[in-house]
Amino acid sequence: MRIITLAGSPRFPSRSSALLEYARDRLSTQNVEVYHWHLHNFAPEDLIFARFDNPALKTFIDQLAEAQGVIVATPVYKASFAGALKTLLDLLPERALEKKVVLPLATGGSVAHLLAVDYALKPVLNALKAQEILHGVYADDSQVLDYQHKPVFSAGLQHRLDEALETFWQALHRHDASRLAVPWQKHSLPA
Ligand SMILES: Cc1cc2nc3c(=O)[nH]c(=O)nc-3n(C[C@H](O)[C@H](O)[C@H](O)COP(=O)(O)O)c2cc1C
């Protein structure tokens, strides 16, 4: 099982990236192969000038094609997801998330923009044809106790993350099982 984690904050270290780091650590112990990407892997001018032929983008798209799942993390900027992340998502092929389970993670200064993932990020993930977009986790900054070193979260946030990762893991296996099953054998009616 292979997944991509994508850190969508222009900053590093960052709170939303800390959520992702936690996810990576947890999933690595569950036999999941994790390929980590962040915006700093791409030259800013390649993203800003929409250079579809940049080499990092090609590698990213190739790895994405081989992955069964994606976890994307973003800060809330001006009531939406980070614009820098959008410059990368804009360069992906139309069906880049086809057949993939996607778990969105977001952090914001307050809970006021809790719905930014639903009304801003999820439509973009849908446009990229994600097969299943999970509910996701939103954390406000007060719940991220340390992100400069090893991530430390409030107990409530850690619990929500654990639950979301469990759901993600189960969804990955469910999709894998249905991909391998031969539908007409599985569901055929008796003669
Ligand atoms: C330019 C900018 C705009 C922001 N806009 C919002 C906002 O509209 N709503 C909100 O809740 N937090 C906002 N924040 C706070 C960040 O979302 C929050 O601190 C987040 O955890 C930062 O994540 P990061 O450390 O991964 O970049 C903003 C922060 C910055 C720097």
Side-chain angles (χ1 to χ4, degrees):
M1 198 71 69
R2 176 185 291 191
I3 69 156
I4 301 278
T5 55
L6 175 60
S9 176
R11 297 187 179 207
F12 188 84
S14 102
R15 290 182 173 87
S16 55
S17 304
L19 267 55
L20 212 52
E21 188 181 334
Y22 180 79
R24 280 203 308 279
D25 284 354
R26 289 299 305 260
L27 291 166
S28 301
T29 65
Q30 301 292 321
N31 245 351
V32 177
E33 199 181 358
V34 183
Y35 286 78
H36 181 54
W37 285 81
H38 49 84
L39 293 181
H40 298 220
N41 293 129
F42 303 90
E45 59 272 24
D46 286 344
L47 299 181
I48 294 295
F49 295 120
R51 290 183 183 136
F52 287 89
D53 57 349
N54 87 76
L57 181 68
K58 186 180 176 336
T59 307
F60 180 63
I61 290 170
D62 287 349
Q63 285 190 7
L64 200 52
E66 296 297 315
Q68 288 80 48
V70 177
I71 307 181
V72 57
T74 180
V76 173
Y77 276 7
K78 300 289 185 282
S80 184
F81 66 98
L85 173 60
K86 182 69 161 57
T87 61
L88 172 60
L89 298 180
D90 286 349
L91 301 185
L92 298 181
E94 194 191 329
R95 312 191 80 86
L97 296 179
E98 192 171 35
K99 300 187 182 145
K100 295 177 208 321
V101 181
V102 183
L103 174 66
L105 306 175
T107 60
S110 77
V111 290
H113 292 133
L114 178 72
L115 293 177
V117 170
D118 286 342
Y119 65 66
L121 181 58
K122 284 188 178 178
V124 179
L125 301 174
N126 257 318
L128 293 167
K129 308 288 185 286
Q131 180 161 356
E132 183 175 355
I133 305 171
L134 300 176
H135 189 58
V137 174
Y138 182 93
D140 77 62
D141 286 354
S142 70
Q143 298 168 321
V144 181
L145 307 180
D146 192 354
Y147 66 97
Q148 309 272 356
H149 311 98
K150 196 167 171 54
V152 182
F153 307 122
S154 69
L157 172 57
Q158 182 157 338
H159 180 69
R160 288 191 293 125
L161 275 171
D162 287 341
E163 279 191 342
L165 291 171
E166 172 72 25
T167 305
F168 180 65
W169 192 83
Q170 284 175 5
L172 284 177
H173 282 79
R174 200 172 56 243
H175 284 279
D176 200 42
S178 63
R179 187 176 56 85
L180 295 175
V182 182
W184 55 87
Q185 284 180 356
K186 199 174 159 202
H187 300 299
S188 63
L189 292 167

